[in-house]
């Protein structure tokens, strides 16, 4: 027998390959069936691409394959309505066979968020934020408790008072920059206003570093960039800084500028730590001072190291407060002003409510915060329609069951295998018609009186709820009160929206994408000075 006779024929190789592929397909089919059976064949999305894999957030909408990266915001509750359940599954086969629950049911959400031991945060989905090192967003267990214990007291009533006064000062400086005789201020993108407002507020109330609205942009001695420019560049190009490895920065002028901003911001924060510790002891209310004071007074085993506060490679909670905090609030304020430009009647109601509290055009004080209830309601309604974080990931530690509202409205349960991802969908929860009347309408008055608090989760919930909520609420109410008291907000180029319904106008003006938070793409507005 020759060697040629030992070589399998083409037909044999094809048969062998076909058999292997067949066995793989059969194994995949059986695994897929087993996965579906593990959740009792609970209804939901059946797409080839996994609903919880990065690939699903990178692909554009492709019928039968991908819903696109922003599907939670685009569809909100509509997909859940198709299946009749407020909790649905998503089964995928690529890159691996898996299944996850997507939840828009307040009953189920409350069970998840109130049982952190059973349903901890899936920190793997926050890996990109570990770019800044260990911080309160990407940790769990004892490390998270340690960071939360030190960080939470810094967000105090005293700090909220400082947030209010600094926001008022910053808005006044913005008005002054517009000029007393300028009746119309045209803004090509509303973020050009809201980002500086929140940046300057967090710089002052967060770090005790006042920056004027009209900045000379001069860098401090020993620096190449000003603090304001360093923060602006880093926050604007945050995703680039996360994705691109540092060694690649030298090949691009743009990346070099991002790298410089990262280094400069790190240096500024380290200097601020050293300066604050070396300065005379006096009462300060900004977050930075409170964090340092709380850390220095803690027992040794409860302290954060300097690298945990700041860190050689941006290992800092401070950085998270600075970047994530100011961007999230800026985006919400942008959406809010856009909504008011579309809904003029609602803007008139808001203005009248402000005049009731401030009849003579007075500067609002922090003591009047509670009286500005319609401003707060407008802020909440904006968060309901445009939650900063669309999907909140958790996972199940053990095999368990969760209570869930069934299609007929009765309470049932769903099986949850160990390791199953549980994604709380804020946009769907906030538009669930079982709890919100006319859920897609912009109606701030729904937040006056009783409203379904368990169906509202813009700051997450339970022990993992956002500790900066009071900061954001205080800043936003102060900013909106000041702006609407003095200016009427209108659409730029209103002819582009002629004949559209308010909802269609909203979809056009307030188109958004998913970045680190829900981000408005382009919101052109006009601010007309009130007589």
């Amino acid at each position: 027998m020759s060697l040629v006779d030992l070589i399998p024929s083409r037909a044999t190789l094809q048969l062998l390959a076909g058999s292997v592929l067949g066995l793989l397909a059969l194994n995949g089919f059986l695994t897929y069936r087993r996965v579906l059976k593990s959740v009792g064949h609970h209804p939901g999305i059946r797409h080839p691409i996994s609903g919880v894999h990065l690939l699903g957030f990178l692909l554009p909408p492709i019928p039968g394959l991908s819903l696109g990266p922003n599907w939670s915001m685009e569809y909100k509750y509509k997909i859940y309505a198709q299946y009749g359940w407020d909790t649905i599954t998503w089964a995928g086969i690529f890159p691996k066979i898996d299944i996850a629950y997507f939840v828009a049911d307040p009953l189920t959400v409350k069970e998840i968020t109130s049982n952190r031991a059973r349903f901890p945060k899936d920190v793997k989905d926050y890996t990109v934020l570990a770019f800044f090192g260990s911080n309160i967003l990407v940790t769990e267990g004892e490390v998270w408790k340690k960071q939360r214990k030190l960080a939470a007291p810094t967000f105090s009533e005293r700090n909220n008072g400082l947030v209010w006064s600094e926001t008022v000062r910053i808005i006044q400086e913005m008005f002054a920059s517009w000029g007393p005789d300028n009746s119309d201020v045209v803004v090509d993108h509303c973020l050009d206003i809201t980002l500086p407002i929140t940046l300057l507020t967090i710089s002052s109330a967060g770090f005790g570093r006042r920056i004027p609205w009209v900045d000379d942009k001069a860098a401090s001695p020993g620096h190449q960039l000003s603090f304001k420019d360093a923060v602006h560049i880093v926050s604007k190009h945050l995703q680039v800084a996360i994705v691109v490895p540092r060694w690649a920065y030298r090949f691009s002028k743009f990346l070099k500028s991002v790298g410089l901003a990262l280094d400069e911001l790190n240096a500024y924060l380290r200097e601020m730590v050293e300066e604050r510790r070396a300065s005379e002891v006096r009462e300060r209310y900004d977050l930075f001072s409170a964090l340092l004071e709380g850390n220095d007074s803690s027992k040794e085993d409860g302290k954060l190291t300097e690298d945990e506060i700041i860190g050689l490679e941006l290992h800092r909670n401070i950085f998270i407060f600075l970047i994530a905090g100011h961007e999230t609030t800026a985006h919400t304020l942008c959406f809010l002003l856009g909504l008011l430009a579309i809904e003029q009647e609602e803007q008139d109601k808001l203005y009248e409510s402000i005049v009731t509290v401030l009849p003579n055009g007075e500067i609002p004080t922090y003591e009047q915060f509670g009286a500005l209830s319609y401003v707060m309601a407008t802020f909440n309604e904006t968060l309901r329609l445009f939650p900063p974080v669309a999907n909140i990931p958790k996972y199940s530690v053990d095999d368990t069951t969760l209570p869930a509202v069934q299609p007929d409205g009765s309470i049932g349960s769903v099986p949850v295998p160990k390791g199953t991802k549980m994604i709380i969908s804020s946009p769907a929860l906030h538009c669930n018609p079982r709890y919100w009347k006319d859920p897609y309408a912009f109606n701030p008055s729904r937040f006056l009186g009783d409203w379904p608090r368990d169906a509202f989760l813009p700051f997450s919930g339970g022990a993992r709820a956002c500790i900066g909520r009071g900061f954001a609420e205080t800043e936003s109410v102060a900013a909106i009160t000041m702006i609407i008291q003095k200016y009427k907000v209108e659409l730029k180029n209103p002819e582009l929206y002629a004949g559209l319904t308010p909802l269609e106008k909203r979809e056009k003006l307030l188109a958004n994408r998913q970045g680190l938070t829900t981000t408005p793409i382009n919101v052109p507005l006009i601010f007309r000075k009130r007589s």
Side-chain angles (χ1 to χ4, degrees):
M1 181 180 293
S2 67
L3 289 176
V4 175
D5 295 328
L6 294 175
I7 298 174
S9 66
R10 182 175 182 180
T12 301
L13 290 173
Q14 289 175 338
L15 179 61
L16 181 61
S19 299
V20 171
L21 290 174
L23 288 172
L24 290 174
L26 178 61
N27 181 65
F29 174 73
L30 294 175
T31 302
Y32 188 68
R33 284 190 61 184
R34 190 162 55 249
V35 165
L36 292 177
K37 186 178 180 181
S38 70
V39 295
H41 293 275
H42 191 79
I45 300 166
R46 304 291 182 259
H47 275 186
I49 304 298
S50 168
V52 293
H53 192 269
L54 178 62
L55 184 61
F57 294 94
L58 295 177
L59 290 175
I62 303 172
L65 184 65
S66 169
L67 292 178
N70 202 29
W71 73 272
S72 290
M73 282 298 297
E74 290 174 358
Y75 290 96
K76 297 188 175 178
Y77 186 78
K78 295 169 186 174
I79 283 184
Y80 295 77
Q82 293 176 16
Y83 297 103
W85 285 78
D86 295 345
T87 296
I88 62 174
T89 55
W90 184 320
I93 61 175
F94 186 82
K96 68 174 184 176
I97 296 172
D98 63 12
I99 197 161
Y101 278 104
F102 282 77
V103 184
D105 184 338
L107 180 67
T108 313
V109 168
K110 190 170 185 178
E111 184 75 9
I112 292 171
T113 58
S114 61
N115 289 279
R116 190 169 64 88
R118 291 172 57 206
F119 301 100
K121 185 176 190 175
D122 195 343
V123 294
K124 294 191 298 297
D125 289 334
Y126 290 83
T127 302
V128 292
L129 293 179
F131 166 82
F132 312 117
S134 175
N135 63 71
I136 200 167
L137 288 182
V138 302
T139 53
E140 261 292 357
E142 292 304 315
V143 176
W144 174 81
K145 287 180 182 179
K146 176 182 176 183
Q147 294 179 341
R148 173 88 181 195
K149 182 179 178 181
L150 285 169
T154 65
F155 291 90
S156 64
E157 189 70 11
R158 294 185 307 178
N159 179 253
N160 287 343
L162 177 62
V163 171
W164 184 280
S165 61
E166 286 303 297
T167 303
V168 167
R169 175 188 64 81
I170 290 160
I171 299 293
Q172 288 178 312
E173 289 187 2
M174 181 182 75
F175 289 162
S177 74
W178 288 355
D181 301 323
N182 194 353
S183 59
D184 289 357
V185 178
V186 180
V187 180
D188 291 329
H189 189 2
C190 191
L191 279 183
D192 294 339
I193 288 177
T194 60
L195 275 172
I197 290 172
T198 59
L199 170 58
L200 300 188
T201 301
I202 192 71
S203 295
S204 181
F207 298 91
R209 195 180 189 99
R210 276 193 170 189
I211 303 172
W213 184 269
V214 180
D215 188 13
D216 60 11
K217 295 189 176 182
S220 299
H223 289 273
Q224 299 178 58
L225 295 175
S226 68
F227 180 75
K228 180 180 178 181
D229 285 344
V231 175
H232 176 71
I233 293 169
V234 171
S235 60
K236 184 177 181 181
H237 303 297
L238 192 56
Q239 288 173 294
V240 173
I242 289 170
V243 173
V244 180
R246 195 62 190 264
W247 58 263
Y249 284 25
R250 64 179 181 272
F251 299 115
S252 163
K253 184 177 180 181
F254 163 69
L255 291 176
K256 284 180 182 177
S257 69
V258 174
L260 174 63
L262 286 166
D263 292 339
E264 286 284 275
L265 184 54
N266 184 45
Y268 271 117
L269 292 173
R270 280 196 171 282
E271 289 172 7
M272 289 164 66
V273 170
E274 294 165 3
E275 289 171 5
R276 202 61 57 88
R277 282 177 170 164
S279 64
E280 62 182 43
V281 177
R282 64 185 179 89
E283 199 168 26
R284 302 175 190 263
Y285 300 151
D286 60 90
L287 300 180
F288 191 73
S289 297
L291 181 61
L292 287 177
E293 181 182 338
N295 189 59
D296 289 343
S297 62
S298 294
K299 295 178 180 178
E300 285 302 320
D301 61 353
K303 282 189 177 185
L304 297 178
T305 66
E306 185 171 325
D307 278 352
E308 285 177 309
I309 297 177
I310 300 296
L312 293 174
E313 296 187 17
L314 305 181
H315 293 188
R316 61 178 72 88
N317 283 295
I318 288 174
F319 193 91
I320 289 295
F321 295 156
L322 177 63
I323 298 300
H326 101 273
E327 179 188 89
T328 300
T329 309
H331 292 172
T332 301
L333 289 175
C334 180
F335 285 125
L336 188 154
L337 292 167
L339 285 166
L340 293 178
I342 294 168
E343 306 276 1
Q344 288 293 319
E345 288 186 8
E346 288 298 336
Q347 185 175 174
D348 291 341
K349 291 179 186 177
L350 176 61
Y351 174 68
E352 291 301 324
S353 75
I354 293 171
V355 170
T356 300
V357 179
L358 305 165
N360 300 311
E362 305 97 313
I363 300 298
T365 65
Y366 182 55
E367 288 69 31
Q368 293 167 314
F369 181 31
L372 294 163
S373 56
Y374 205 86
V375 184
M376 187 66 204
T378 304
F379 178 65
N380 279 338
E381 179 69 341
T382 303
L383 288 170
R384 187 183 70 82
L385 293 171
F386 295 94
V389 179
N391 297 314
I392 302 170
K394 308 281 187 177
Y395 73 96
S396 177
V397 171
D398 298 303
D399 293 331
T400 187
T401 60
L402 278 171
V405 176
Q406 300 183 112
D408 63 2
S410 62
I411 306 300
S413 65
V414 294
V416 183
K418 179 180 178 178
T420 301
K421 283 202 173 189
M422 311 295 298
I423 312 297
I424 299 172
S425 176
S426 299
L429 177 69
H430 292 178
C431 289
N432 189 328
R434 296 184 196 272
Y435 307 93
W436 302 101
K437 182 180 178 181
D438 197 6
Y440 296 100
F442 177 63
N443 178 20
S445 63
R446 71 172 86 239
F447 281 95
L448 302 175
D450 293 331
W451 49 276
R453 297 177 186 276
D454 290 339
F456 185 61
L457 210 70
F459 297 98
S460 192
R464 299 275 340 197
C466 176
I467 61 175
R469 179 173 189 163
F471 190 112
E473 291 175 341
T474 304
E475 176 184 13
S476 298
V477 170
I480 293 302
T481 299
M482 291 285 290
I483 292 172
I484 299 303
Q485 183 186 43
K486 300 293 184 184
Y487 288 86
K488 187 177 181 68
V489 188
E490 297 181 1
L491 297 170
K492 182 185 177 185
N493 303 320
E495 67 277 2
L496 298 177
Y497 306 88
L500 299 180
T501 66
L503 183 57
E504 289 169 337
K505 290 179 182 178
R506 190 193 309 168
E507 291 172 349
K508 183 179 179 69
L509 178 69
L510 302 179
N512 53 85
R513 60 178 177 81
Q514 288 303 308
L516 290 181
T517 59
T518 304
T519 305
I521 294 172
N522 189 47
V523 185
L525 299 174
I526 297 177
F527 293 80
R528 298 194 189 280
K529 197 168 187 178
R530 298 183 188 273
S531 59

